[in-house]
Amino acid sequence: MHESVVQAEVMMSFVVSEELSFRIPVELRYETCDPYAVRLTFHLPGDAPVTWAFGRELLVDGVGRPCGDGDVHITPADSEGFGDVLIRLQVGADQALFRCGTAPLLAFLDRTDRLVPLGQERSLADFDTHLDDVLDRILAEEQSAG
């Protein structure tokens, strides 16, 4: 059977302020049925897990240079790059900042690229077949969260 999911768990720092941060496990997930997206599930202490989905290409680009519009911004933490990556998630006026080592993100992205090379997402034979299912699942997740 052909592999259709890439998963990894990484530890990220949830940055509360310059003086306070704490490490949390974050699940990274990529599925061929939604080949343009990655999902990050944050396991914050005392709260239900929170999942964010955004473009895989945004994560690839954000490892090397600042990028992102809207609710998701990803940037290298320092000018040399390849040290840490900052991921800023925003909903309205509320935002959360996470810091993660570049190496585990690159390892995850490499595995997704071996499964579906960047730029080849559209060539998946079952992409159009599963698109409606994925959209329905995303809408159901949003409705259950709201």
Side-chain angles (χ1 to χ4, degrees):
M1 185 172 164
H2 187 263
E3 181 184 20
S4 62
V5 175
V6 173
Q7 282 185 255
E9 185 174 291
V10 300
M11 294 301 290
M12 292 189 186
S13 293
F14 175 40
V15 181
V16 179
S17 68
E18 285 186 30
E19 300 83 26
L20 178 64
S21 67
F22 53 94
R23 296 183 55 78
I24 61 165
V26 178
E27 178 187 320
L28 309 174
R29 185 174 178 91
Y30 175 79
E31 302 176 13
T32 58
C33 65
D34 189 7
Y36 292 99
V38 293
R39 286 179 170 64
L40 278 65
T41 300
F42 299 90
H43 297 274
L44 297 167
D47 285 333
V50 176
T51 300
W52 279 71
F54 52 87
R56 172 173 65 153
E57 192 169 347
L58 176 65
L59 187 56
V60 169
D61 291 345
V63 167
R65 64 179 175 81
C67 64
D69 292 322
D71 297 342
V72 180
H73 294 265
I74 303 174
T75 186
D78 52 46
S79 59
E80 295 88 44
F82 301 112
D84 285 342
V85 173
L86 298 174
I87 301 173
R88 183 180 311 279
L89 306 174
Q90 186 164 347
V91 176
D94 295 326
Q95 61 181 345
L97 180 64
F98 299 90
R99 185 179 190 116
C100 179
T102 302
L105 292 179
L106 289 175
F108 170 75
L109 290 168
D110 180 61
R111 289 176 53 213
T112 70
D113 193 60
R114 282 187 267 139
L115 184 61
V116 179
L118 264 172
Q120 301 296 314
E121 295 90 351
R122 189 76 177 148
S123 68
L124 291 178
D126 61 350
F127 176 69
D128 289 328
T129 306
H130 289 60
L131 183 59
D132 287 336
D133 293 339
V134 170
L135 292 175
D136 288 343
R137 187 177 76 219
I138 290 169
L139 288 172
E141 289 173 4
E142 287 179 359
Q143 289 174 351
S144 69

